[in-house]
Amino acid sequence: MRRWRYRSNRTVGGGILMKASTTFDFDGASVIVTGAARGVGLSIATRFATAGAQVFMVDFDREELEGAAADIDGVPVTADVSCTADVEAVVAQVLESCGRIDVLVNNAGILRDQVVWKLSDADWDAVLGVHLGGTFRFTRACTPSFRAQNRGRVINVTSYTGLRGNIGQSNYAAAKAGIIGFTKTTAKELARFGVTVNAISPNAETRMVASIPDARKAELAAAIPLGRFAHPDEMADAVAFLASDSAAYITGVVLPVDGGISI
Ligand SMILES: NC(=O)c1ccc[n+]([C@@H]2O[C@H](COP(=O)([O-])OP(=O)(O)OC[C@H]3O[C@@H](n4cnc5c(N)ncnc54)[C@H](O)[C@@H]3O)[C@@H](O)[C@H]2O)c1
């Protein structure tokens, strides 16, 4: 059985992250990353591609996706994670190309913020459909392969907001809380097939964070014990670890990669 090894030459100086070059060897692995056109998803896809994996980069923003995939030699797959037919077509394409799926990263996300009394059905459904629905649809579609291989890794992306709530984000909080329950349940269901299912809870400087008003963003940064938002590559470090053999005995866990905000 292929072993995915850990190599690290990360350098940390004076408490400041000088160089993040942690790598794992995913040579020949078949990896699906959703929401991979930018932000956290692009960092995750880049990390796997750099480590030798064939990375299927799923996003519904075709233009941004194609540029990103060309940069890292990934396979761009335009699809909407909230659409069952799209998800099943992606999985069929991956299996036709590689014959197996080693890692699934459910990362795609959107925001449609509004206080609950003004929140429309459309904005509720859209956010639940992408975050929770996409995570469900991809996990379900990959499960026959995981079971046949008797091996697999699923890493979902949740949020601190799913545990603590946030004004204007009842749809997002409900979706992210749902992902935690989904992660723990599928971890139990799939363990017997050699599959681990975990989640990360990020806090990274991406376009999603850039959409937060500056005053609120400054407040949020001040409340982070480590005093800053992370670079998205720091999320990729955690995902690569959870996908590696070093994490073979870890399942059903939500790993905060959030500078301590959730302490
Ligand atoms: N950035 C943070 O601090 C933070 C904090 C907590 C959780 N998260 C979560 O991390 C994930 C990535 O966040 P990000 O900050 O990189 O966001 P982002 O907006 O930069 O990227 C999200 C990507 O998902 C894609 N996407 C959205 N809907 C899609 C759909 N229906 N089908 C396919 N692709 C779709 C977008 O096109 C985009 O490329 C999200 O799930 C988000 O909720 C981020």
Side-chain angles (χ1 to χ4, degrees):
M1 184 186 291
R2 183 184 298 284
R3 306 293 298 172
W4 290 324
R5 294 182 311 279
Y6 173 69
R7 298 195 307 263
S8 175
N9 59 346
R10 178 189 291 280
T11 310
V12 179
I16 298 167
L17 192 64
M18 304 292 287
K19 185 181 173 202
S21 55
T22 304
T23 58
F24 290 82
D25 181 359
F26 288 102
D27 195 25
S30 161
V31 177
I32 298 173
V33 182
T34 72
R38 63 175 194 240
V40 170
L42 178 54
S43 280
I44 293 168
T46 304
R47 182 58 47 92
F48 281 113
T50 306
Q54 172 81 291
V55 186
F56 295 85
M57 301 168 65
V58 179
D59 209 288
F60 67 179
D61 185 336
R62 180 190 301 268
E63 202 175 319
E64 196 156 20
L65 177 64
E66 283 179 355
D71 287 346
I72 67 164
D73 211 13
V75 181
V77 190
T78 306
D80 179 348
V81 301
S82 66
C83 167
T84 298
D86 276 17
V87 170
E88 289 177 354
V90 173
V91 169
Q93 179 182 339
V94 174
L95 289 174
E96 194 180 322
S97 169
C98 296
R100 58 185 290 117
I101 301 163
D102 295 297
V103 182
L104 166 66
V105 183
N106 288 307
N107 165 80
I110 55 168
L111 295 177
R112 296 283 185 275
D113 292 359
Q114 189 52 270
V115 285
V116 70
W117 61 91
K118 293 184 184 169
L119 186 60
S120 66
D121 283 2
D123 286 346
W124 173 267
D125 290 344
V127 169
L128 269 288
V130 172
H131 289 273
L132 187 54
T135 299
F136 156 61
R137 287 181 173 82
F138 260 105
T139 303
R140 180 179 61 181
C142 290
T143 295
S145 300
F146 291 150
R147 291 182 60 174
Q149 295 160 197
N150 212 32
R151 183 185 174 89
R153 292 280 191 276
V154 182
I155 295 103
N156 299 323
V157 180
T158 182
S159 170
Y160 171 66
T161 300
L163 290 176
R164 298 290 295 269
N166 193 27
I167 290 172
Q169 294 196 313
S170 60
N171 48 2
Y172 182 74
K176 291 307 201 187
I179 286 174
I180 294 171
F182 184 80
T183 298
K184 290 174 185 289
T185 299
T186 51
K188 287 183 173 176
E189 290 179 352
L190 298 177
R192 78 195 78 158
F193 306 115
V195 179
T196 66
V197 187
N198 293 293
I200 64 160
S201 179
N203 198 13
E205 184 92 51
T206 63
R207 207 180 302 176
M208 192 173 270
V209 172
S211 72
I212 299 170
D214 281 350
R216 177 70 185 135
K217 208 163 109 182
E219 270 173 35
L220 289 172
I224 300 170
L226 289 178
R228 63 178 177 87
F229 286 94
H231 188 281
D233 286 354
E234 295 175 88
M235 308 302 113
D237 285 343
V239 170
F241 166 65
L242 289 171
S244 76
D245 283 339
S246 301
Y249 202 58
I250 299 174
T251 197
V253 158
V254 178
L255 178 62
V257 193
D258 64 2
I261 186 85
S262 58
I263 294 170

